Amino acid sequence: AAQVQAYVRDSSVDAAGALTLDAVSNQSIHATVIAGSVALSGGLVGASVSGAGAGSENRVAMQVQASIEGDKQNRGIRAASVDLEASDNSNIASLTGAVSVAAAFGALGASLSIGVGIAHNVVDNDITSYIRDVDAGVTTTTGDITLDAHESATIVAQAFAASAAVG
């Protein structure tokens, strides 16, 4: 998975102001896949076969992380306030479809038409916010220590198939 990280690692912090770490992922996929097929035949004996298929697979896989891990020389983390936030707002919009038409004309006519539309969409994210292994601790002078992790991913998918045979 791809990564978006905001971190303090193996370091000491002594800040008069706020310590804020934000890791934000805004991945977006917009996919349109359409297939079409037409078969026509004519004569004394007419036979037509038509087939159309469309498929789409869309995947977002992210590791989004805001973290404080470890400290340097046991001096810890000190700030007015500490705010860690990891968030994901990924979006997949997918339209997948197929249209198939077959027609046979004649004294003896036969036709076959098949249409298939398949869509597979996945958001597989790991969103974390954490503090660990800070031996001297994390302290604030005036504010809070806040850890947030938010997943707000959306998938809007439409798949269709249409098929017609005449003859």
Side-chain angles (χ1 to χ4, degrees), residues 26 37 66 119 123 132 137:
N26 291 310
S37 176
V123 175
R132 73 171 165 224

Side-chain angles (χ1 to χ4, degrees), residues 97-120:
V99 177
S100 176
V101 177
F105 304 98
L108 181 59
S111 62
L112 172 66
S113 178
I114 298 171
V116 177
I118 298 172
H120 182 71

Side-chain angles (χ1 to χ4, degrees), residues 63-99:
Q63 179 184 18
V64 183
Q65 187 174 62
S67 63
I68 297 174
E69 189 169 350
D71 58 347
K72 186 174 184 179
Q73 299 172 341
N74 287 327
R75 292 183 16 214
I77 306 291
R78 184 173 185 267
S81 61
V82 176
D83 182 24
L84 279 64
E85 182 174 350
S87 64
D88 174 68
N89 303 303
S90 295
N91 175 282
I92 296 176
S94 173
L95 172 64
T96 306
V99 177

Side-chain angles (χ1 to χ4, degrees), residues 66-68 82-86 128-132 144-150:
S67 63
I68 297 174
V82 176
D83 182 24
L84 279 64
E85 182 174 350
T128 57
S129 181
Y130 65 87
I131 297 172
R132 73 171 165 224
D144 294 329
I145 297 173
T146 307
L147 297 124
D148 290 316
H150 304 281

Side-chain angles (χ1 to χ4, degrees), residues 14 31-32 51-52 56 58 62 75 93 101 116 118 128 132 135 141 164:
D14 189 359
T32 301
S56 68
N58 303 295
M62 295 294 298
R75 292 183 16 214
V101 177
V116 177
I118 298 172
T128 57
R132 73 171 165 224
D135 298 330
T141 56

